[in-house]
Every structure is written in C-alpha cells, then in structure tokens.
Amino acid sequence: MEWLLSMPKVELHAHLNGSIRDSTLLELARLLGEKGVIVFSDVEHVIMKNDRSLHEVFKLFDLIHILTTDHKTVTRITKEVVEDFASENVVYLELRTTPKRNDSIGMSKRSYMEAVVEGLRAVSAVDIDFAPHNMDGNPVNDMITDDICNGTTRKKIYVRLLLSIDRRETTEAAMETVKLALEMREFGVLGIDLSGNPIVGEWSTFLPALEFAREQGLQITLHCGEVPNKKEINSMLDFLPQRVGHACFFQEEEWKKLKSSKIPVEICLTSNIRTDTISSIDIHHFANLYAAKHPLVLCTDDSGVFSTTLSKEYHLAASTFGLGKWEMFQLAKTAVGFIFADDGVKQDLEGIFNLAAKKLD
Ligand code: 6MZ
C-alpha cells in the first residue's frame, strides 16, 4: 500500500461535494444543528452510514448540499479536497462540480464557481497550478514555486475544473452551465460532465447544451450506464464524448461499440460496489477492459461518501485482479493520455512519471 501511496497518480472523476472529509461534514452539521436548521443526531447517523443504495446516495447529496452550499463553505471544501488529493500524491486532479444557484443567499452559478476558484487560490499545504491565468488575467507561471522533480519536498498538484450538469436540470439550466464554463475557461475550466441521479431526466434534454459545449471546444465526459438504459447508453456512445464514467450496465452490443470507439472509461470500483451497481468486485468490467487494453483510468468518484482514496482504489484493483507494481504504475501513467488539459501539462506530467519510474524497484 505504501508504494501505491507514494506513486504519482491522476484523478479524473472526483465530485467536489462527494469528496469532503467526514470531519468537515460533521463540523458543518453540528453548526447547523446548533442553529436549529437540522437535527444533528439524525444527520450524524446518515453521514457515518457505510452502505447505501444508489438511490440513498442521491438523498445524501441533497443533505450534503444543505450543509455546504454557501460561498465560504464552498471555498473551504475546495481547498481541503485539493489538499487531500495532493497529500496522497495525486499530481493532476480534474475536479468536477455542479454550479448551484441559491437566491436566498445571493448565490448565482457564477458566484458558486468563483467560490470554488477562491478555494483553489487558498490552497497552501501544497503548490498548485490551477489555471492558465490568474484572476487579474496574468499568466500564473510565477505562482508555481516548487517542482516535484527538483528534489524539493513540497508537493505540487495540477488542478483543472469540469462543470457538471445535474440530470434534474432543464435544457436552459444546462445551457447556462455550459456558457459559464466558457466564461471561466481562463480559470482552468476545461469541460462539462453530465451527472446526477441516473433515473432522472432524459438524454434529449441535455443534448442541445452538450452539442453547444462541443461546438465551442469544451471537452465532455458523461456518466453512462449507471442503470440499465440501453437506449440512453447507445445515444451517449453515439455522441462520442471524450470520456465516459462507470459503464456498468452495458450489454454485448454496447461493449462492442465502446471498444471500437476507444472512449476512455473512468472506473470507480468502490463506488460501484457500495451502490450495488456491480454485484461483486471480481466480476467488475475493469478485468475485461484491462485485458482488452481498452483505455481506462481508476478514479474515486466520491472519496468522502464512499470512504475511499485513490491509493485505496489502486490497491483494490491490484489485489483483486493480481496486478503488480509495474502494471499499476503503467495504469497510472497511461491516464495522462486521457486528461483534458493541454499538451504542456501532459509533458510536465510525463516528466513526473518518468522520474518516478526510475525510483520504482
Ligand atoms: C451520478 C453523481 C455520483 O457536483 O455537488 N454525483 N452523479 N453518479 C454518481 N455516482 C455515485 N456521485 C456524485 O457533487 C455532488 C454531485 O455529483 C453528482 C450528483 O449530482 C451529486 O449531487 P457536486 O460538487
């Protein structure tokens, strides 16, 4: 486990509000309990519960959002989530979040995202490269103080953002998110994710916004096949997104389509097992896709909600599927090819992995 912790890793499927430390969630719940907004003991039980169905997970997210959706807290959780990933040697993080509007506290989707960017700026435990430009429009190169390769002990993490469209949203709301992503490109927003409760909403509702996003040069990743929905899975694959997440309820036809398209899959082992989307780890489609050399990346999904870390996900894959140090290292390294950031970042990451390869015994 130690070598998996120290190995550089790339995280491409992490939801901000799913990645919050339990201690932070409990602290926030306690505060709201004191204010009489919630009953702390009820909420404490829900936060600490381990096994949840997919349906219960989305109920938990509604609760988490009550605890976290004010500007100050959004900034705090962003900072903590980034520092937590960096602490286990995640060197590149694509963090996704759903911009939220809450008129009662003067929050717009834009101000929510500004609070996220504030959180990136507040990161202090590690060095961070989060955007091609600073808030004032100047390049941020001067804020990159240390380099993981030059022998300094301070860790460095590259962070880029994806804006999520929640499946509960209308076409107009989805379009608003895409427009916001375009406005915020200079703050490291690279693409759009479609997520949320998979039994809610229709593909046709989101398609216009996703097509617009693509036309405008944003990259797209879709939660695909979290529930059995053959028609939607096929429509999503025909859309040819840059990546898909989960890919659980595929049948032969969809596997064929996926493999011939070579669309990289974000694999979230613990999430799939905890939510019973896959009945047992040893029959997880990771094994088949890995054997077929299909592009794959191991991810956490919601490290807070599922009490996991990226190192634990690598450990689970290694122990379940009998993969050794070198194979796990290669798996981590190939993920660099599937990131949404530009070639400059890819080259930096390759440098980090090449250096780490020399230390691998
Ligand atoms: C689908 C998921 C998810 O955006 O508020 N989300 N959507 N499947 C999953 N697998 C279990 N896990 C998280 O982060 C939380 C939101 O991400 C989506 C849901 O819409 C959830 O409300 P943000 O930062």
Side-chain angles (χ1 to χ4, degrees):
M1 184 71 187
E2 196 49 46
W3 59 274
L4 286 171
L5 194 65
S6 57
M7 186 174 91
K9 291 172 287 296
V10 167
E11 170 62 84
L12 300 184
H13 188 134
H15 298 270
L16 173 61
N17 277 280
S19 308
I20 305 167
R21 300 171 187 164
D22 279 348
S23 58
T24 298
L25 274 186
L26 289 173
E27 186 190 320
L28 295 170
R30 207 168 278 124
L31 278 173
L32 282 194
E34 281 162 18
K35 287 185 188 160
V37 181
I38 56 162
V39 178
F40 175 70
S41 53
D42 295 353
V43 171
E44 182 186 25
H45 169 72
V46 180
I47 292 172
M48 298 316 285
K49 192 174 173 223
N50 254 342
D51 271 319
R52 302 182 176 89
S53 66
L54 196 58
H55 178 67
E56 283 174 320
V57 164
F58 290 102
K59 286 208 323 220
L60 174 62
F61 279 124
D62 286 341
L63 170 65
I64 292 177
H65 290 143
I66 292 172
L67 301 178
T68 61
T69 309
D70 66 81
H71 295 113
K72 215 171 100 226
T73 309
V74 169
T75 296
R76 172 187 174 172
I77 60 172
T78 304
K79 172 186 188 305
E80 290 181 358
V81 166
V82 170
E83 291 183 346
D84 287 351
F85 275 111
S87 75
E88 56 152 351
N89 289 305
V90 169
V91 290
Y92 176 89
L93 165 65
E94 252 166 47
L95 187 61
R96 55 185 78 186
T97 193
T98 321
K100 295 166 189 75
R101 185 177 151 184
N102 182 349
D103 293 339
S104 67
I105 56 161
M107 176 181 278
S108 63
K109 283 187 172 188
R110 185 173 176 103
S111 73
Y112 173 93
M113 283 313 300
E114 283 167 355
V116 170
V117 172
E118 261 324 291
L120 300 181
R121 295 173 71 77
V123 166
S124 56
V126 294
D127 292 330
I128 178 170
D129 174 323
F130 70 88
H133 292 86
N134 243 329
M135 286 291 204
D136 55 12
N138 294 322
V140 290
N141 291 343
D142 57 342
M143 65 176 280
I144 303 166
T145 49
D146 284 327
D147 194 280
I148 204 160
C149 305
N150 69 6
T152 56
T153 49
R154 239 173 109 76
K155 294 179 195 296
K156 174 178 162 189
I157 187 166
Y158 289 83
V159 182
R160 297 293 184 268
L161 299 170
L162 307 181
L163 302 200
S164 301
I165 294 169
D166 186 320
R167 296 183 59 113
R168 288 179 289 200
E169 291 183 293
T170 60
T171 304
E172 291 69 35
M175 198 64 97
E176 196 193 332
T177 296
V178 172
K179 287 184 181 150
L180 179 60
L182 292 169
E183 283 167 32
M184 298 199 72
R185 280 209 258 213
E186 63 186 308
F187 304 118
V189 175
L190 299 178
I192 295 290
D193 156 56
L194 176 65
S195 55
N197 192 338
I199 60 168
V200 174
E202 293 289 328
W203 170 245
S204 56
T205 305
F206 317 114
L207 186 58
L210 294 169
E211 277 172 340
F212 177 63
R214 167 179 282 167
E215 269 165 37
Q216 296 296 314
L218 290 167
Q219 309 199 60
I220 294 162
T221 176
L222 304 172
H223 280 62
C224 180
E226 263 189 302
V227 289
N229 184 342
K230 194 174 172 61
K231 190 165 161 252
E232 185 181 91
I233 293 170
N234 275 284
S235 303
M236 285 183 168
L237 293 176
D238 292 341
F239 179 77
L240 291 176
Q242 271 81 19
R243 297 196 308 254
V244 293
H246 299 294
C248 297
F249 287 93
F250 279 33
Q251 290 169 346
E252 209 176 320
E253 186 189 341
E254 290 85 47
W255 286 128
K256 253 195 208 149
K257 211 180 248 190
L258 176 82
K259 285 179 184 167
S260 67
S261 69
K262 303 240 183 314
I263 298 170
V265 182
E266 302 152 1
I267 297 275
C268 309
L269 296 172
T270 300
S271 163
N272 295 160
I273 297 302
R274 287 283 181 91
T275 56
D276 234 355
T277 319
I278 300 290
S279 59
S280 159
I281 184 81
D282 43 296
I283 58 155
H284 196 282
H285 46 286
F286 171 90
N288 179 285
L289 292 176
Y290 184 80
K293 298 195 174 9
H294 188 82
L296 291 178
V297 49
L298 289 177
C299 303
T300 52
D301 201 9
D302 298 294
S303 55
V305 167
F306 300 121
S307 309
T308 190
T309 63
L310 194 53
S311 307
K312 283 190 190 167
E313 296 303 301
Y314 272 75
H315 181 66
L316 187 57
S319 57
T320 308
F321 306 110
L323 303 177
K325 229 183 210 185
W326 184 247
E327 285 139 321
M328 294 314 290
F329 181 80
Q330 285 304 326
L331 192 61
K333 189 179 173 198
T334 53
V336 174
F338 320 137
I339 70 170
F340 288 171
D342 58 41
D343 287 348
V345 176
K346 280 189 185 156
Q347 274 168 21
D348 287 357
L349 295 175
E350 272 157 18
I352 290 169
F353 275 96
N354 289 340
L355 200 76
K358 290 187 191 146
K359 293 182 194 151
L360 214 67
D361 39 74

